[in-house]
Amino acid sequence: MNWIDDYVYGLIEFFKTDNIYDLYDYLGIQINKLDKDNILLLGNDGLYHRDFLDKEIVFIRNDLSIEYEKFILAHELGHAIIHTDIYNAAFNKSLVNKGKIEKQANYFAFKLLNIKFDSVELEGFTLDQISHAIGLPTRVLDIF
């Protein structure tokens, strides 16, 4: 996924930061924290939305750990940056490979947050143990 690496490195280079909150400020994307049962989340931990006036907002649960909050914000930023065609044009999102775009957004988040794994240190660990060690759910590790 070298093309995603280019987006991440370009973003960091252009704004001179990898701080997710600063990047949201620079890009003018609003963060709105909601209760986990809020209907706007559609059952998700976070959700990116661009309206017809191109106003961008991320709805995110207000009860996430700081590590997971940053990951979700980076994941949703990935959608905002690398999936612009999907969010601009598609009325019929059933034509979109949701699994593929979710993996790409997860990859974007891992790269932006510089989350790395030491294969020697983690040798013999299960996915559950690795996810616990980095403070993220197992399902986001599906890119590895």
Side-chain angles (χ1 to χ4, degrees):
M1 293 194 214
N2 291 339
W3 65 275
I4 296 175
D5 294 348
D6 293 341
Y7 277 99
V8 171
Y9 300 139
L11 186 69
I12 293 169
E13 184 178 320
F14 185 82
F15 290 110
K16 308 286 188 245
T17 187
D18 62 358
N19 180 292
I20 191 66
Y21 301 101
D22 290 343
L23 290 170
Y24 268 73
D25 285 343
Y26 294 144
L27 293 167
I29 302 173
Q30 182 181 349
I31 299 169
N32 193 345
K33 294 184 179 185
L34 304 170
D35 290 333
K36 68 179 179 178
D37 297 325
N38 191 298
I39 195 166
L40 291 173
L41 285 170
L42 303 172
N44 297 299
D45 294 332
L47 187 69
Y48 169 72
H49 177 72
R50 180 183 298 135
D51 70 16
F52 65 95
L53 297 174
D54 280 343
K55 181 178 178 183
E56 296 174 288
I57 187 167
V58 168
F59 299 105
I60 188 169
R61 287 177 42 179
N62 63 3
D63 63 345
L64 303 177
S65 70
I66 190 67
E67 295 88 6
Y68 192 41
E69 177 178 296
K70 288 178 181 180
F71 184 85
I72 292 294
L73 290 173
H75 172 99
E76 298 304 332
L77 185 60
H79 285 309
I81 292 174
I82 65 175
H83 298 135
T84 55
D85 293 341
I86 295 167
Y87 287 95
N88 281 338
F91 284 109
N92 185 355
K93 292 188 180 173
S94 64
L95 300 176
V96 174
N97 183 339
K98 187 164 173 52
K100 180 179 177 180
I101 67 168
E102 290 304 312
K103 285 182 181 183
Q104 289 172 346
N106 283 345
Y107 181 85
F108 182 97
F110 274 99
K111 284 295 186 177
L112 180 62
L113 298 175
N114 200 26
I115 299 171
K116 296 181 180 176
F117 300 99
D118 182 336
S119 60
V120 173
E121 184 179 310
L122 297 176
E123 185 175 342
F125 278 48
T126 66
L127 282 179
D128 286 336
Q129 291 170 325
I130 294 169
S131 71
H132 181 73
I134 62 173
L136 298 174
T138 306
R139 70 180 177 278
V140 304
L141 300 175
D142 67 351
I143 64 168
F144 300 102

